[in-house]
Amino acid sequence: MSDSSSHSSTGSTPSGRTIRGGIGRIIADAIIVAAFVLLLTLLFLQTGWPRWAFYAALFLGVAVYVSITRPW
Amino acid sequence: MSGETRERSTRRLATIRDRLDTGMDRREFVRTLVTGGYAVGMAQFLGVEDFLSADNGDVPIVTALVREDPDDPWSLTERTRYVPAGWYAAVESAIELNERLAQLAFTGYLGSAVVPGSYQSETATVSVGISRDWGSVRDLLNQLATGIPVDIEAIFDDGGIDDLEDVGDIEDADDLESVDGIDGGRDSFEPRLVEDVHEGYVPSGVACETPTSLATLGPALYSPDTEQAFFVTAEHAFEGNPDPVGEPVSLPVRDSDHVSLGTVASAHPVEDFATIEPTGDIEPVSLIDTQSPLRVRGQYTKLGLADLMARGERLEKVGAMTGHTTGAIQGIDAVTCFTDDFCRYGQIRWGGQMDLTDGDSGSVSFHADPAGDDEDVLIAGFNNARTWWPGQSYVWGVGAYRLTELHGYHF
């Protein structure tokens, strides 16, 4: 268990290693999530999918992003 | 195909599964909430609600400018509504065609109006009035219209605009009843006079007097430039005076003396309205005189009027002579060129010849505010004239949105 967590903390994105300190990671999160929202917005603008799908995709995306990246 | 990639992705998936298996601890939960909130905020900032809340094929239109606070005329906010995109496209192209026709103002053109169809039909037509030269004009219209249905409404084979006076009665300065003639009025209407001026205000829908004639007082008109409230009535009520600025306007009171309202601050002959700066003790108010007074909460936009017409809603008015009447909307964004040597734009056509008579000019057409209180209404425009000839009968006047576009005034 401890092995797997240390593995994921070192083996995940290189940016996680280079950006030191919580603030750096929060800024990275902000930029990545903003890009994700923008992408999602453009996608929904083009396809005209319903509102519930937009918010479902938004929260699902955030949940997945949070669970696969290192905590603050 | 590429086993290595697949292996790597399975490994990554396994790591994710491990992380998910450990469950969401509190820090992670908080982070999800914060990030989620940020994402939603970002989405709102990008304006996703504007298109998300639309059903398939719906587009938002601004239908009205409405006061958030009924007592604060400066708290105007836009009200939107979702309408079928097909209908919107049809109305927009009809408006464009209508504008093009008015710009061309070809020989024989008397005016035109946009007639939006129902939402189900997803159509809009342009109704065009023509005086002569049927054949060539029809060809020209067909060239211009390109797919937009055009109704040709009134055609007179020989002679031109002069003939209109014979078949229609166009209320203009010459027709306006003089003050002396009120008692023996042609339509034998008694003007609605205020009983008494209570609490220093007077509602719209009662008679007011200019030096030469009697007209209807409109509800308060606001000028955002000077943050001032004005009384308002029809400009043609100052007949024979090319520049009525400074002329006094008074209020006849039943069984009493006249009360001074103010003096004309600005006159707009094309839009046919005059603003009157209050100089006496009476202040302009946003009320309309019915059995229980109606409160003006704002005004409709051009597309708001199109929306009303698509839904078959009716307009109301309270005139000093004919009182409170209602009628169906017949056309919006209309152009009328048959009364003067210039054209009037942004007109509303509604009701019938019975809805207006001499002395009703200056009254406003309105419709209940669907989202407001019971007594709240939104203004459509002024009622300044009526026209009837075979197959046509309507009241017309400038739309409130036109005054806002040109001069900034609003109700």
Side-chain angles (χ1 to χ4, degrees):
Chain A
M1 207 61 191
S2 70
D3 185 64
S4 94
S5 78
S6 78
H7 172 81
S8 71
S9 67
T10 52
S12 61
T13 54
S15 65
R17 234 181 304 145
T18 50
I19 300 169
R20 301 212 168 258
I23 297 193
R25 223 165 309 134
I26 287 172
I27 291 171
D29 273 10
I31 293 167
I32 291 164
V33 170
F36 170 64
V37 171
L38 185 65
L39 194 80
L40 213 59
T41 303
L42 292 176
L43 181 72
F44 274 72
L45 195 60
Q46 200 172 30
T47 56
W49 287 335
R51 176 199 290 209
W52 65 264
F54 178 83
Y55 287 105
L58 194 72
F59 280 109
L60 199 73
V62 166
V64 167
Y65 174 76
V66 167
S67 62
I68 62 169
T69 49
R70 272 179 60 194
W72 293 335
Chain B
M1 195 167 61
S2 55
E4 199 182 311
T5 330
R6 184 175 294 171
E7 196 181 311
R8 202 184 303 150
S9 65
T10 2
R11 208 184 318 133
R12 192 173 295 163
L13 272 177
T15 328
I16 292 167
R17 205 186 307 126
D18 281 352
R19 292 186 63 81
L20 289 177
D21 279 349
T22 59
M24 201 180 252
D25 64 17
R26 198 160 65 186
R27 280 176 64 193
E28 212 163 38
F29 179 68
V30 169
R31 185 168 169 234
T32 313
L33 275 190
V34 170
T35 316
Y38 166 74
V40 170
M42 194 71 204
Q44 299 307 306
F45 175 72
L46 289 172
V48 288
E49 279 301 314
D50 284 350
F51 66 88
L52 280 180
S53 43
D55 284 338
N56 261 347
D58 278 7
V59 290
I61 57 167
V62 176
T63 55
L65 300 177
V66 184
R67 295 177 201 177
E68 213 157 6
D69 172 6
D71 299 323
D72 179 9
W74 316 112
S75 65
L76 284 189
T77 52
E78 288 184 346
R79 180 173 296 164
T80 53
R81 185 190 173 93
Y82 287 90
V83 298
W87 177 87
Y88 174 75
V91 169
E92 280 292 301
S93 22
I95 288 174
E96 262 173 48
L97 171 63
N98 191 39
E99 278 169 8
R100 233 177 312 152
L101 289 176
Q103 273 168 11
L104 274 175
F106 50 84
T107 315
Y109 174 82
L110 296 178
S112 53
V114 175
V115 185
S118 68
Y119 284 131
Q120 287 77 30
S121 73
E122 300 205 342
T123 59
T125 52
V126 178
S127 169
V128 188
I130 285 160
S131 71
R132 56 185 158 166
D133 214 1
W134 158 283
S136 65
V137 165
R138 167 143 285 191
D139 289 347
L140 175 69
L141 282 179
N142 285 338
Q143 273 174 23
L144 283 169
T146 58
I148 302 157
V150 175
D151 280 349
I152 296 184
E153 66 184 24
I155 291 144
F156 303 95
D157 288 334
D158 51 351
I161 297 159
D162 297 341
D163 281 357
L164 282 173
E165 291 284 352
D166 304 334
V167 288
D169 181 301
I170 296 149
E171 193 199 69
D172 59 17
D174 298 333
D175 280 349
L176 200 85
E177 205 161 332
S178 69
V179 180
D180 312 309
I182 299 168
D183 291 335
R186 195 179 50 195
D187 295 307
S188 64
F189 287 109
E190 279 284 312
R192 291 158 52 95
L193 304 179
V194 277
E195 300 285 333
D196 60 318
V197 182
H198 28 230
E199 295 164 23
Y201 69 82
V202 52
S204 163
V206 298
C208 66
E209 260 185 39
T210 71
T212 46
S213 52
L214 184 104
T216 300
L217 186 68
L221 193 67
Y222 299 92
S223 163
D225 298 338
T226 53
E227 295 234 335
Q228 238 182 324
F230 293 100
F231 293 111
V232 69
T233 192
E235 195 271 346
H236 76 250
F238 302 87
E239 66 165 303
N241 188 341
D243 183 22
V245 172
E247 291 275 338
V249 176
S250 64
L251 187 76
V253 181
R254 191 175 298 282
D255 307 323
S256 180
D257 291 339
H258 283 40
V259 179
S260 165
L261 284 178
T263 53
V264 175
S266 71
H268 307 271
V270 179
E271 288 78 42
D272 197 6
F273 77 101
T275 60
I276 298 139
E277 194 170 355
T279 53
D281 299 329
I282 309 172
E283 286 297 311
V285 286
S286 293
L287 290 175
I288 294 174
D289 188 36
T290 53
Q291 282 192 329
S292 57
L294 299 170
R295 181 171 65 182
V296 177
R297 190 78 189 260
Q299 63 185 44
Y300 287 101
T301 62
K302 191 195 295 183
L303 286 171
L305 295 170
D307 162 64
L308 287 182
M309 204 170 163
R311 292 186 289 122
E313 296 287 330
R314 296 163 74 83
L315 291 183
E316 306 173 48
K317 76 115 213 334
V318 180
M321 302 304 278
T322 53
H324 193 177
T325 64
T326 66
I329 311 174
Q330 298 198 27
I332 61 155
D333 204 31
V335 183
T336 48
C337 305
F338 46 76
T339 49
D340 290 277
D341 49 5
F342 52 82
C343 294
R344 299 173 199 269
Y345 300 91
Q347 308 277 315
I348 304 165
R349 297 177 180 178
W350 70 279
Q353 64 187 71
M354 296 313 289
D355 290 313
L356 198 85
T357 189
D358 301 344
D360 282 334
S361 293
S363 65
V364 287
S365 52
F366 56 89
H367 182 271
D369 177 5
D373 296 335
D374 283 350
E375 76 270 23
D376 284 350
V377 296
L378 301 177
I379 302 291
F382 279 110
N383 304 312
N384 289 335
R386 57 179 173 167
T387 291
W388 75 88
W389 52 57
Q392 293 280 309
S393 170
Y394 52 79
V395 171
W396 52 273
V398 69
Y401 67 88
R402 178 83 182 160
L403 304 190
T404 311
E405 274 173 17
L406 289 180
H407 309 288
Y409 295 119
H410 62 83
F411 283 103

